[in-house]
Amino acid sequence: MSTPFMSLTWTDHVTGRRGFLVVDRLVRGVCSGGLRMRPGCTLEEVAGLARGMTMKEALHYDPRARYVPLGGAKGGIDCDPRDPAAYGVLVRYLRAMRPYIADSWTTGEDLGLTQDLVDRAAAEAGLTSCVQAVHPLLDDEAAARGRLTAAFAVEVDGIGLDALVGGCGVAESVLTALDAAGVAPADARVSVQGLGTMGGATARFLARAGLTVVAVADIKGTVANPAGLDVEALLAARDAYGTVDRAVLRPADRELPDDAWLSADAEVLVPAAVSYAVDADNQARIRARWIAEAANMPVLADAERLLTARGVTVLPDVVVNSATNAWWWWTLFGDIGAVGAADPADEAFAHTRRAMRALVGEVLARAGRDGTTPRAAAHALAADRLAEITERFGWYAPDASA
Ligand SMILES: NC(=O)c1ccc[n+]([C@@H]2O[C@H](COP(=O)([O-])OP(=O)(O)OC[C@H]3O[C@@H](n4cnc5c(N)ncnc54)[C@H](O)[C@@H]3O)[C@@H](O)[C@H]2O)c1
């Protein structure tokens, strides 16, 4: 992995907890990447995620679009989000990162944090918006912010649009892979680890597309039903951290040990919680044919080699979970969300599905041509696009070039 442009470690003067910011690279002076909070978060993990963000941005490059990809970055705080001290730590971290957020780093929610919480803490830390660094790149800032505010106000069946687009992209990636293999959605079963923002939305979209969701896991363990879980009931019974109240389980639903989601009898596995969930040992228990990485870095490299050798296809995170990030920029730059658009959610989902189907199709085709994994193909495609973006737009905006 190439060396990041910038990495820094912050220590909270009140609790001693540590936080990190890694900027992998800049495009026109700006980078993008969410902020995660989890106990045990490391600088190395954040650097890997920042690199992934550079690729996610580049993969969505479309010379015809208004959105021009940014560089990649990531923030991380080593703290349990349920710790009573967590909110104070978050505000102090954002205060310390203020110069970067004001000038070059656009951020948002990731594992352990919700967008509402990040927004509230950012305001308390004296920031206008956690994406204010991109404002100078917009044609009409007021109109762009209006589009984003309007988009964030949209809810579909109890879940905000911002928390749905990512899962819509994951689901479309899965459906594209199933189509390419000639498998009908009704013949596919899915097991999901994590029922938070990404896992929850993915489960909804896959269930609505006709797949049977046979297992989901949250921090408390796995819930399973070979005949299919009632996904909407589980979604409605989540707390703010994506933990499901077991009181809603039906008599035929079973509670299984933590990692039972991994070995579920399903065609598709969706790790949508933590990094490093699938390793060289536990991969042997996987029975699925496809793994769609809704989470960032859930499958370790050694595990992927073994999985590939036995015919399991890993659809890589940089592709599969890239839609949330892209949706922010499609909205802010004005590719979608024009005032008066018929139905903002329909438009966002249609745009997401089109973009993800094209991207996943291209990645699978390249992997087939090159005889590589989809991950290697995605990285090669990202490298091609990154070279073009750098050539066209540069690391710094023209007026700031040093
Ligand atoms: N939120 C986004 O917009 C976004 C976008 C791209 C990628 N991601 C990635 O998706 C993953 C999940 O993010 P999120 O925002 O959905 O998180 P979240 O905090 O909303 O939800 C996490 C879910 O995982 C469960 N979980 C946590 N630890 C677990 C464990 N050890 N075993 C089983 N379940 C566990 C939690 O109970 C919860 O249901 C992360 O890797 C994140 O980087 C998120």
Side-chain angles (χ1 to χ4, degrees), residues 26-32 56-71 134 137-139 325-326 329-330 332-335 385 388-390 392-394:
L26 298 172
V27 174
R28 296 194 292 171
V30 184
C31 56
S32 166
K56 270 179 227 185
E57 284 281 336
L59 285 169
H60 280 280
Y61 178 48
D62 175 356
R64 295 157 305 179
R66 296 168 62 98
Y67 154 45
V68 175
L70 310 173
V134 82
L137 300 182
L138 302 170
D139 292 341
N325 184 64
W329 305 135
W330 290 326
L332 211 53
F333 282 86
D335 290 300
R385 293 188 177 168
E388 204 179 323
I389 292 164
T390 308
R392 226 179 126 191
F393 301 101

Side-chain angles (χ1 to χ4, degrees), residues 340-364:
D343 182 311
D346 285 351
E347 186 198 27
F349 296 146
H351 198 88
T352 301
R353 288 188 171 113
R354 241 189 342 265
M356 293 305 292
R357 195 160 271 271
L359 181 57
V360 174
E362 207 168 339
V363 165
L364 292 177

Side-chain angles (χ1 to χ4, degrees), residues 36 56 74 109-113 193-199 217-219 241-243 272-274 294-296 321 324:
R36 63 167 47 188
K56 270 179 227 185
K74 201 81 181 185
E109 68 155 299
D110 192 63
L111 181 74
L113 297 172
Q193 185 202 29
L195 207 65
T197 305
M198 287 303 265
D218 64 13
I219 193 87
Y241 305 102
T243 314
V274 290
N296 284 308
N321 72 24
T324 314

Side-chain angles (χ1 to χ4, degrees), residues 174 178 183-191 206 210-215 225-228 264-269 287-290:
V174 170
L178 292 178
V183 175
D187 294 332
R189 294 159 301 169
V190 58
S191 171
L206 287 178
L211 283 84
T212 306
V213 178
V214 293
N225 187 335
D265 193 8
E267 284 64 40
V268 181
L269 210 56
R287 295 194 267 174
R289 188 168 155 199
W290 291 275

